[in-house]
Amino acid sequence: MTRRVLIIHDSLTVRIDLLAAFDEAGFEAEAVASLKEARKAISQEPTGLVVLDLDLPDGSGIRFLQELRSALLTAMIPAILLSSLHTVEDEIRGLVAGADATISKPYDRERLLLTASELLARGDSASGMPAHSALLLVVEGRGHQDLRPLLEAEGYQVICAPNGRAGLEAARRAWPQLIIIDGSLPDLLPPLLVQQLRLDPGLHRTPCLLFADHVGADAEIHALSVGADGFLRSKLDPSLLLARIRALLRFRPVFSREIRRHFAAPRRLLAVMPPSPKALELEEVLAGEGIELTRCHTPPQLIADPGQLSCILLDGALPDACAWIRAQKAGPAAGIPLLLLADDAEAALEAMRSGAEDWVRRDRGTLVIQARVRALLRRRQFEDESRRMGQELHLRDMEAARQKAARQLAESRAELTHERAARELAESRAAFLSELERKNAELTRSNQELSQFAYVASHDLKTPLQAIDLLASWLEEDLEPVMEDTSRKQLGLLRSRVARMRGLLDSLLHYSRAGRREERLEVVDLDELLGEVIELLGPPPGMKIERDGELPTLVTFRTPLFQVFTNLLANAMKHHDRDSGNIVVSAQEGDEAIEFAVSDDGPGIPPEFAERVFQMFQTLKPRDELETDGMGLALVQKIVHLQGGRVWLESRGGRGACFRFSWPKESQA
């Protein structure tokens, strides 16, 4: 058997620790984290031992063990189950499912390695063939056909017995997966052998196939009625025989080694009776059925190992026999079937009332007593099976309840997580809305303060400027006859600075109020709007403003768009360095916006000033050379941004400049 160990555990720490432990001990180890990976690993390489956790991410370790035990190629692989809660219930569940040993966590490395070594050694000594091959028992008869070469060529392990009694003994010792019985045994009738196999607790579910020739229909019917699983003719095609064997093995019952060991344990009968020829004869007869008989002369006060007893045969003529029976209701032999040898019905009735399961007259023959013992053993076998099936059903119900509880817990956790997430989302949304409301209030207050400041700047600051301008004009009129040229020039400079200051205040007021006026959407014909702008500006005779194609019609706010075109055209005319020039207005329609362009043939703007020109109070020439407040393009940028568009400058570095801006086709009210 290979010493390859497959570790199946979802914890990376445990996998690393077990890999190190098995590597140090000289094993070839592989670790996987899921049952899907485990199935793949087992299918690719022979595996000598499986160490797996009880609970895995994609399934239960119990169900995986059952899956291994139900498959022909993996049924004989030893398995160690790691359990977090080491209880008797966990151990029974694991052993019933097919585990060879259960070890609780946190595990002891030395104990785990020792258990693994024992299981691998047991597998090595069980056979010299691969552990995954099924073991077949062939009970040979007179003139039998040698089936060993045929079966071994198919990969089966084969053991042969020369007669029925030897076959029964070999079956109890080796516990094969299938028994093939020749139809002409030298010592037993094949149906009788099948019947004895069916009465054995460890073999009663093992498939039996009778292989005979020249047998009548009655014999075939009788063999099948006593428990045979199939009946074939000796001269049958070998391929059909192999197919029948594969079919029987496919549906054979699979037990764990612990349960198999329990069923296959030798049955022991305690005979409490004085020595006699009948006792010796009975011992010989029962031995032929694999029943070990232990005799004692008086009712023992204590049975050293009552758990290994299968039945008690008690001579009712012994003193205090019935009292001893009554004591066994709570004693060490309680629950063990008891058969009483009695002289008459009255003694049998008293023994039955005291707790005996059955009775037989002492003068009846040995075969009758043997039949009664066999019936008691069969009933106990059925009781054991019923109890085991009840335990399995109980464990299945508990497993189903556990899985249901786990699902409900997962659903509850998911629901709680969803509720918690919804609550946190609602709290976050409420906090966000509260913060948004606070910010809006602050913004409203800031806008009100800005509006108030703009009003103060427009009214309170312009009033003294008007007074200064008025006083300067009075001085200029009164001193006109005697004023020198220098004084006249300084007064003119004073009045120009006052006018500039007044213009700055007006521009600042317009900038602060941009976008605050309540407008209504209307259909705007841009050709008509541009005509109104040109008429308002009144360009000099040498300055031409032209359209490059027809301009579109929009549903938008009229006043902001009018202000943008006014500022851009005024800016182009104001900064032109010649008496004559050309200004061209064009439009290009996009999917969601119109891109407008206002280009001129003026002196141009260097590329490094492409961003600076949109800042407040920024001019490219000294104000003494060109009187301007530096707010026109800043106001254009603010209006365009408020409408959801953008504005930029295209400069070639030489003459001419082109201002472009995008404007939505349909503005939002």
Side-chain angles (χ1 to χ4, degrees):
M1 176 181 288
T2 177
R3 289 175 65 83
R4 177 174 177 265
V5 178
L6 179 62
I7 301 164
I8 311 172
H9 206 289
D10 59 341
S11 170
L12 178 61
T13 304
V14 173
R15 294 201 302 272
I16 293 175
D17 182 67
L18 291 178
L19 278 174
F22 280 106
D23 286 342
E24 292 173 3
F27 294 94
E28 177 190 350
E30 179 182 355
V32 296
S34 65
L35 295 180
K36 180 180 180 181
E37 296 175 356
R39 294 185 183 96
K40 182 178 179 181
I42 291 176
S43 65
Q44 290 178 345
E45 284 189 64
T47 301
L49 176 68
V50 172
V51 179
L52 76 160
D53 193 17
L54 181 63
D55 296 307
L56 291 157
D58 53 346
S60 166
I62 297 292
R63 294 191 179 278
F64 184 68
L65 279 174
Q66 295 172 343
E67 178 184 325
L68 289 180
R69 295 296 174 249
S70 62
L72 176 62
L73 297 179
T74 59
M76 300 299 291
I77 298 178
I80 299 176
L81 185 67
L82 301 178
S83 173
S84 298
L85 298 174
H86 188 60
T87 62
V88 175
E89 181 179 293
D90 286 335
E91 186 171 358
I92 292 176
R93 288 174 59 204
L95 295 177
V96 168
D100 295 86
T102 59
I103 296 179
S104 61
K105 295 186 294 185
Y107 52 84
D108 181 89
R109 292 179 65 173
E110 293 185 0
R111 180 189 172 194
L112 178 61
L113 292 174
L114 179 61
T115 304
S117 300
E118 290 178 353
L119 291 175
L120 287 171
R122 188 186 307 168
D124 290 338
S125 62
S127 71
M129 298 188 68
H132 60 262
S133 59
L135 176 64
L136 308 184
L137 170 63
V138 178
V139 184
E140 300 172 339
R142 294 184 294 267
H144 68 278
Q145 180 180 351
D146 189 5
L147 299 177
R148 181 191 290 270
L150 174 65
L151 299 176
E152 288 182 345
E154 291 295 316
Y156 296 115
Q157 303 176 59
V158 181
I159 56 176
C160 297
N163 53 57
R165 296 188 183 277
L168 186 61
E169 182 180 352
R172 289 168 178 160
R173 183 179 65 253
W175 207 78
Q177 277 73 56
L178 184 139
I179 301 174
I180 301 175
I181 303 173
D182 193 285
S184 56
L185 299 178
D187 54 346
L188 290 176
L189 292 175
L192 180 59
L193 176 58
V194 173
Q195 189 176 25
Q196 292 187 6
L197 290 170
R198 292 294 173 254
L199 292 175
D200 191 290
L203 299 169
H204 75 286
R205 290 189 177 183
T206 303
C208 295
L209 181 63
L210 265 64
F211 194 73
D213 201 5
H214 306 297
V215 178
D218 292 340
E220 181 176 348
I221 293 173
H222 178 60
L224 295 174
S225 65
V226 297
D229 296 275
F231 198 98
L232 297 177
R233 302 293 177 181
S234 300
K235 297 181 180 179
L236 194 67
D237 186 347
S239 61
L240 295 179
L241 170 63
L242 294 174
R244 187 73 176 108
I245 291 175
R246 283 193 294 269
L248 289 175
L249 288 174
R250 187 163 58 247
F251 297 103
R252 76 185 190 280
V254 178
F255 299 100
S256 69
R257 289 170 175 78
E258 295 294 333
I259 295 179
R260 183 188 69 186
R261 204 174 293 123
H262 168 73
F263 280 162
R267 295 172 293 172
R268 186 155 64 91
L269 183 142
L270 177 65
V272 185
M273 57 191 305
S276 64
K278 178 178 287 189
L280 295 175
E281 182 183 357
L282 182 62
E283 180 177 0
E284 182 180 355
V285 170
L286 294 176
E289 293 191 11
I291 302 175
E292 176 187 343
L293 188 140
T294 302
R295 290 184 288 116
C296 60
H297 305 319
T298 59
Q301 299 301 317
L302 178 66
I303 299 177
D305 191 8
Q308 295 297 324
L309 286 178
S310 302
C311 182
I312 298 175
L313 180 63
L314 178 62
D315 192 337
L318 294 174
D320 301 325
C322 290
W324 185 81
I325 293 174
R326 284 193 294 270
Q328 301 318 302
K329 292 182 179 180
I336 299 175
L338 191 146
L339 177 64
L340 184 73
L341 297 178
D343 292 324
D344 51 40
E346 184 177 351
L349 181 60
E350 183 180 356
M352 297 285 285
R353 289 171 179 171
S354 300
E357 275 72 24
D358 199 0
W359 74 284
V360 64
R361 294 183 63 90
R362 185 183 295 103
D363 56 359
R364 300 297 296 270
T366 304
L367 294 180
V368 175
I369 298 175
Q370 177 190 12
R372 293 297 182 93
V373 169
R374 187 186 300 135
L376 281 179
L377 292 178
R378 184 167 59 250
R379 193 179 76 179
R380 176 157 189 188
Q381 170 186 329
F382 293 154
E383 290 175 353
D384 287 345
E385 288 190 2
S386 298
R387 182 166 52 254
R388 180 181 59 80
M389 292 176 63
Q391 290 176 347
E392 290 183 358
L393 291 174
H394 177 65
L395 289 174
R396 290 178 184 176
D397 291 341
M398 291 185 63
E399 179 68 18
R402 186 188 69 81
Q403 294 180 357
K404 181 180 179 181
R407 287 195 302 270
Q408 291 176 346
L409 179 60
E411 292 173 358
S412 300
R413 286 177 176 173
E415 185 176 353
L416 289 175
T417 302
H418 178 71
E419 292 179 356
R420 186 183 300 112
R423 185 171 60 253
E424 292 176 354
L425 180 61
E427 293 174 354
S428 300
R429 184 173 181 274
F432 173 75
L433 292 177
S434 176
E435 180 68 14
L436 182 61
E437 185 177 354
R438 187 181 66 82
K439 293 291 186 182
N440 286 336
E442 291 181 356
L443 182 61
T444 302
R445 185 172 60 254
S446 175
N447 288 336
Q448 291 174 351
E449 292 174 354
L450 184 59
S451 297
Q452 185 177 3
F453 168 77
Y455 176 79
V456 170
S458 174
H459 184 270
D460 295 350
L461 294 180
K462 286 171 66 176
T463 299
L465 289 177
Q466 291 175 355
I468 293 173
D469 185 56
L470 183 60
L471 289 173
S473 66
W474 288 350
L475 287 174
E476 189 176 11
E477 291 177 1
D478 294 342
L479 299 177
E480 177 64 26
V482 295
M483 185 181 300
E484 298 180 357
D485 292 340
T486 303
S487 299
R488 187 177 292 106
K489 182 178 180 180
Q490 290 176 348
L491 280 175
L493 184 61
L494 174 63
R495 296 189 67 184
S496 68
R497 293 295 187 271
V498 170
R500 181 186 301 172
M501 188 65 183
R502 188 185 298 117
L504 286 173
L505 291 175
D506 289 339
S507 297
L508 183 62
L509 180 62
H510 291 157
Y511 185 84
S512 65
R513 290 180 175 177
R516 296 191 184 183
R517 295 178 59 184
E518 293 186 2
E519 300 281 345
R520 63 183 181 84
L521 290 172
E522 56 182 299
V523 178
V524 179
D525 185 343
L526 291 182
D527 283 319
E528 180 182 338
L529 182 140
L530 186 60
E532 294 178 4
V533 171
I534 295 173
E535 182 179 356
L536 175 66
L537 293 176
M543 194 66 62
K544 296 181 180 180
I545 301 177
E546 301 176 345
R547 301 174 180 83
D548 185 7
E550 293 185 0
L551 299 181
T553 299
L554 300 178
V555 178
T556 186
F557 301 109
R558 180 183 181 86
T559 303
L561 189 56
F562 186 91
Q563 184 70 48
V564 169
F565 275 112
T566 300
N567 285 17
L568 289 176
L569 292 175
N571 189 73
M573 290 188 296
K574 182 185 296 184
H575 291 279
H576 208 288
D577 58 347
R578 297 174 182 173
D579 295 336
S580 62
N582 291 321
I583 302 174
V584 180
V585 178
S586 62
Q588 183 177 355
E589 187 171 354
D591 293 336
E592 298 179 357
I594 306 290
E595 182 181 305
F596 294 98
V598 178
S599 57
D600 61 61
D601 56 355
I605 300 175
E608 58 267 24
F609 296 108
E611 297 294 334
R612 179 181 170 184
V613 294
F614 294 104
Q615 297 177 7
M616 295 173 60
F617 308 119
Q618 295 295 320
T619 61
L620 300 182
K621 293 181 179 181
R623 286 187 172 86
D624 292 337
E625 296 181 13
L626 182 63
E627 189 65 40
T628 179
D629 54 23
M631 291 291 292
L633 293 179
L635 184 59
V636 168
Q637 185 182 58
K638 182 175 181 180
I639 293 174
V640 171
H641 284 178
L642 289 174
Q643 295 300 319
R646 67 187 189 97
V647 59
W648 67 98
L649 168 64
E650 288 185 358
S651 178
R652 306 177 184 86
R655 293 191 61 83
C658 179
F659 286 91
R660 295 183 180 273
F661 69 94
S662 60
W663 195 272
K665 288 183 176 180
E666 294 188 6
S667 300
Q668 299 296 323

